[in-house]
mmCIF file with all atom_site columns, all heavy atoms in Angstrom:
data_model
loop_
_atom_site.group_PDB
_atom_site.id
_atom_site.type_symbol
_atom_site.label_atom_id
_atom_site.label_alt_id
_atom_site.label_comp_id
_atom_site.label_asym_id
_atom_site.label_entity_id
_atom_site.label_seq_id
_atom_site.pdbx_PDB_ins_code
_atom_site.Cartn_x
_atom_site.Cartn_y
_atom_site.Cartn_z
_atom_site.occupancy
_atom_site.B_iso_or_equiv
_atom_site.pdbx_formal_charge
_atom_site.auth_seq_id
_atom_site.auth_comp_id
_atom_site.auth_asym_id
_atom_site.auth_atom_id
_atom_site.pdbx_PDB_model_num
ATOM 1  N N   . ASP L 1 271 ? 90.065  104.547 108.153 1.00 43.00 ? 276 ASP L N   1
ATOM 2  C CA  . ASP L 1 271 ? 91.153  104.010 107.346 1.00 43.00 ? 276 ASP L CA  1
ATOM 3  C C   . ASP L 1 271 ? 91.777  105.057 106.446 1.00 43.00 ? 276 ASP L C   1
ATOM 4  O O   . ASP L 1 271 ? 92.981  105.033 106.188 1.00 43.00 ? 276 ASP L O   1
ATOM 5  C CB  . ASP L 1 271 ? 90.654  102.840 106.480 1.00 43.00 ? 276 ASP L CB  1
ATOM 6  C CG  . ASP L 1 271 ? 90.247  101.658 107.350 1.00 43.00 ? 276 ASP L CG  1
ATOM 7  O OD1 . ASP L 1 271 ? 90.737  101.598 108.493 1.00 43.00 ? 276 ASP L OD1 1
ATOM 8  O OD2 . ASP L 1 271 ? 89.449  100.822 106.883 1.00 43.00 ? 276 ASP L OD2 1
ATOM 9  N N   . ALA L 1 272 ? 90.981  105.959 105.954 1.00 41.00 ? 277 ALA L N   1
ATOM 10 C CA  . ALA L 1 272 ? 91.509  106.959 105.013 1.00 41.00 ? 277 ALA L CA  1
ATOM 11 C C   . ALA L 1 272 ? 92.054  108.132 105.793 1.00 41.00 ? 277 ALA L C   1
ATOM 12 O O   . ALA L 1 272 ? 91.446  108.624 106.722 1.00 41.00 ? 277 ALA L O   1
ATOM 13 C CB  . ALA L 1 272 ? 90.398  107.430 104.061 1.00 41.00 ? 277 ALA L CB  1
ATOM 14 N N   . ALA L 1 273 ? 93.234  108.593 105.407 1.00 39.00 ? 278 ALA L N   1
ATOM 15 C CA  . ALA L 1 273 ? 93.882  109.730 106.066 1.00 39.00 ? 278 ALA L CA  1
ATOM 16 C C   . ALA L 1 273 ? 93.471  111.008 105.381 1.00 39.00 ? 278 ALA L C   1
ATOM 17 O O   . ALA L 1 273 ? 93.382  111.068 104.161 1.00 39.00 ? 278 ALA L O   1
ATOM 18 C CB  . ALA L 1 273 ? 95.393  109.581 106.030 1.00 39.00 ? 278 ALA L CB  1
ATOM 19 N N   . PRO L 1 274 ? 93.254  112.079 106.134 1.00 41.00 ? 279 PRO L N   1
ATOM 20 C CA  . PRO L 1 274 ? 92.855  113.330 105.499 1.00 41.00 ? 279 PRO L CA  1
ATOM 21 C C   . PRO L 1 274 ? 94.005  114.062 104.841 1.00 41.00 ? 279 PRO L C   1
ATOM 22 O O   . PRO L 1 274 ? 93.776  115.015 104.130 1.00 41.00 ? 279 PRO L O   1
ATOM 23 C CB  . PRO L 1 274 ? 92.298  114.137 106.681 1.00 41.00 ? 279 PRO L CB  1
ATOM 24 C CG  . PRO L 1 274 ? 93.041  113.604 107.872 1.00 41.00 ? 279 PRO L CG  1
ATOM 25 C CD  . PRO L 1 274 ? 93.234  112.160 107.601 1.00 41.00 ? 279 PRO L CD  1
ATOM 26 N N   . ALA L 1 275 ? 95.249  113.633 105.110 1.00 40.00 ? 280 ALA L N   1
ATOM 27 C CA  . ALA L 1 275 ? 96.390  114.331 104.517 1.00 40.00 ? 280 ALA L CA  1
ATOM 28 C C   . ALA L 1 275 ? 96.451  114.023 103.034 1.00 40.00 ? 280 ALA L C   1
ATOM 29 O O   . ALA L 1 275 ? 96.033  112.968 102.575 1.00 40.00 ? 280 ALA L O   1
ATOM 30 C CB  . ALA L 1 275 ? 97.691  113.900 105.190 1.00 40.00 ? 280 ALA L CB  1
ATOM 31 N N   . PRO L 1 276 ? 97.002  114.918 102.224 1.00 39.00 ? 281 PRO L N   1
ATOM 32 C CA  . PRO L 1 276 ? 97.064  114.702 100.784 1.00 39.00 ? 281 PRO L CA  1
ATOM 33 C C   . PRO L 1 276 ? 98.081  113.658 100.378 1.00 39.00 ? 281 PRO L C   1
ATOM 34 O O   . PRO L 1 276 ? 98.094  113.236 99.240  1.00 39.00 ? 281 PRO L O   1
ATOM 35 C CB  . PRO L 1 276 ? 97.467  116.083 100.244 1.00 39.00 ? 281 PRO L CB  1
ATOM 36 C CG  . PRO L 1 276 ? 98.150  116.752 101.383 1.00 39.00 ? 281 PRO L CG  1
ATOM 37 C CD  . PRO L 1 276 ? 97.466  116.271 102.604 1.00 39.00 ? 281 PRO L CD  1
ATOM 38 N N   . ALA L 1 277 ? 98.981  113.210 101.275 1.00 38.00 ? 282 ALA L N   1
ATOM 39 C CA  . ALA L 1 277 ? 99.998  112.231 100.908 1.00 38.00 ? 282 ALA L CA  1
ATOM 40 C C   . ALA L 1 277 ? 99.428  110.831 101.062 1.00 38.00 ? 282 ALA L C   1
ATOM 41 O O   . ALA L 1 277 ? 98.514  110.600 101.836 1.00 38.00 ? 282 ALA L O   1
ATOM 42 C CB  . ALA L 1 277 ? 101.234 112.379 101.802 1.00 38.00 ? 282 ALA L CB  1
ATOM 43 N N   . PRO L 1 278 ? 99.958  109.825 100.328 1.00 38.00 ? 283 PRO L N   1
ATOM 44 C CA  . PRO L 1 278 ? 99.490  108.449 100.483 1.00 38.00 ? 283 PRO L CA  1
ATOM 45 C C   . PRO L 1 278 ? 99.928  107.881 101.815 1.00 38.00 ? 283 PRO L C   1
ATOM 46 O O   . PRO L 1 278 ? 100.781 108.425 102.504 1.00 38.00 ? 283 PRO L O   1
ATOM 47 C CB  . PRO L 1 278 ? 100.149 107.722 99.289  1.00 38.00 ? 283 PRO L CB  1
ATOM 48 C CG  . PRO L 1 278 ? 101.336 108.556 98.945  1.00 38.00 ? 283 PRO L CG  1
ATOM 49 C CD  . PRO L 1 278 ? 100.935 109.975 99.253  1.00 38.00 ? 283 PRO L CD  1
ATOM 50 N N   . GLU L 1 279 ? 99.368  106.685 102.126 1.00 35.00 ? 284 GLU L N   1
ATOM 51 C CA  . GLU L 1 279 ? 99.657  106.085 103.419 1.00 35.00 ? 284 GLU L CA  1
ATOM 52 C C   . GLU L 1 279 ? 101.101 105.643 103.534 1.00 35.00 ? 284 GLU L C   1
ATOM 53 O O   . GLU L 1 279 ? 101.728 105.795 104.545 1.00 35.00 ? 284 GLU L O   1
ATOM 54 C CB  . GLU L 1 279 ? 98.722  104.886 103.643 1.00 35.00 ? 284 GLU L CB  1
ATOM 55 C CG  . GLU L 1 279 ? 97.296  105.269 103.962 1.00 35.00 ? 284 GLU L CG  1
ATOM 56 C CD  . GLU L 1 279 ? 97.168  105.971 105.289 1.00 35.00 ? 284 GLU L CD  1
ATOM 57 O OE1 . GLU L 1 279 ? 97.992  105.728 106.171 1.00 35.00 ? 284 GLU L OE1 1
ATOM 58 O OE2 . GLU L 1 279 ? 96.272  106.798 105.437 1.00 35.00 ? 284 GLU L OE2 1
ATOM 59 N N   . THR L 1 280 ? 101.623 105.007 102.461 1.00 36.00 ? 285 THR L N   1
ATOM 60 C CA  . THR L 1 280 ? 103.010 104.543 102.481 1.00 36.00 ? 285 THR L CA  1
ATOM 61 C C   . THR L 1 280 ? 103.901 105.644 101.961 1.00 36.00 ? 285 THR L C   1
ATOM 62 O O   . THR L 1 280 ? 103.733 106.119 100.844 1.00 36.00 ? 285 THR L O   1
ATOM 63 C CB  . THR L 1 280 ? 103.146 103.301 101.595 1.00 36.00 ? 285 THR L CB  1
ATOM 64 O OG1 . THR L 1 280 ? 102.711 103.619 100.279 1.00 36.00 ? 285 THR L OG1 1
ATOM 65 C CG2 . THR L 1 280 ? 102.327 102.148 102.150 1.00 36.00 ? 285 THR L CG2 1
ATOM 66 N N   . GLU L 1 281 ? 104.863 106.053 102.775 1.00 35.00 ? 286 GLU L N   1
ATOM 67 C CA  . GLU L 1 281 ? 105.759 107.109 102.358 1.00 35.00 ? 286 GLU L CA  1
ATOM 68 C C   . GLU L 1 281 ? 106.745 106.577 101.342 1.00 35.00 ? 286 GLU L C   1
ATOM 69 O O   . GLU L 1 281 ? 107.226 105.454 101.444 1.00 35.00 ? 286 GLU L O   1
ATOM 70 C CB  . GLU L 1 281 ? 106.510 107.654 103.576 1.00 35.00 ? 286 GLU L CB  1
ATOM 71 C CG  . GLU L 1 281 ? 105.585 108.293 104.588 1.00 35.00 ? 286 GLU L CG  1
ATOM 72 C CD  . GLU L 1 281 ? 106.373 108.914 105.718 1.00 35.00 ? 286 GLU L CD  1
ATOM 73 O OE1 . GLU L 1 281 ? 107.612 108.816 105.692 1.00 35.00 ? 286 GLU L OE1 1
ATOM 74 O OE2 . GLU L 1 281 ? 105.748 109.496 106.612 1.00 35.00 ? 286 GLU L OE2 1
ATOM 75 N N   . PRO L 1 282 ? 107.057 107.323 100.294 1.00 36.00 ? 287 PRO L N   1
ATOM 76 C CA  . PRO L 1 282 ? 107.953 106.831 99.259  1.00 36.00 ? 287 PRO L CA  1
ATOM 77 C C   . PRO L 1 282 ? 109.366 106.656 99.800  1.00 36.00 ? 287 PRO L C   1
ATOM 78 O O   . PRO L 1 282 ? 109.796 107.341 100.718 1.00 36.00 ? 287 PRO L O   1
ATOM 79 C CB  . PRO L 1 282 ? 107.899 107.932 98.191  1.00 36.00 ? 287 PRO L CB  1
ATOM 80 C CG  . PRO L 1 282 ? 107.487 109.165 98.945  1.00 36.00 ? 287 PRO L CG  1
ATOM 81 C CD  . PRO L 1 282 ? 106.589 108.687 100.039 1.00 36.00 ? 287 PRO L CD  1
ATOM 82 N N   . THR L 1 283 ? 110.068 105.690 99.197  1.00 39.00 ? 288 THR L N   1
ATOM 83 C CA  . THR L 1 283 ? 111.450 105.442 99.584  1.00 39.00 ? 288 THR L CA  1
ATOM 84 C C   . THR L 1 283 ? 112.318 106.596 99.111  1.00 39.00 ? 288 THR L C   1
ATOM 85 O O   . THR L 1 283 ? 112.269 106.970 97.944  1.00 39.00 ? 288 THR L O   1
ATOM 86 C CB  . THR L 1 283 ? 111.943 104.136 98.946  1.00 39.00 ? 288 THR L CB  1
ATOM 87 O OG1 . THR L 1 283 ? 111.058 103.087 99.322  1.00 39.00 ? 288 THR L OG1 1
ATOM 88 C CG2 . THR L 1 283 ? 113.371 103.824 99.385  1.00 39.00 ? 288 THR L CG2 1
ATOM 89 N N   . PRO L 1 284 ? 113.122 107.206 99.982  1.00 39.00 ? 289 PRO L N   1
ATOM 90 C CA  . PRO L 1 284 ? 113.938 108.324 99.548  1.00 39.00 ? 289 PRO L CA  1
ATOM 91 C C   . PRO L 1 284 ? 114.995 107.879 98.558  1.00 39.00 ? 289 PRO L C   1
ATOM 92 O O   . PRO L 1 284 ? 115.643 106.849 98.725  1.00 39.00 ? 289 PRO L O   1
ATOM 93 C CB  . PRO L 1 284 ? 114.579 108.828 100.859 1.00 39.00 ? 289 PRO L CB  1
ATOM 94 C CG  . PRO L 1 284 ? 114.537 107.645 101.764 1.00 39.00 ? 289 PRO L CG  1
ATOM 95 C CD  . PRO L 1 284 ? 113.313 106.876 101.395 1.00 39.00 ? 289 PRO L CD  1
#
Side-chain angles (χ1 to χ4, degrees):
D276 294 338
E284 286 294 332
T285 57
E286 297 184 359
T288 304

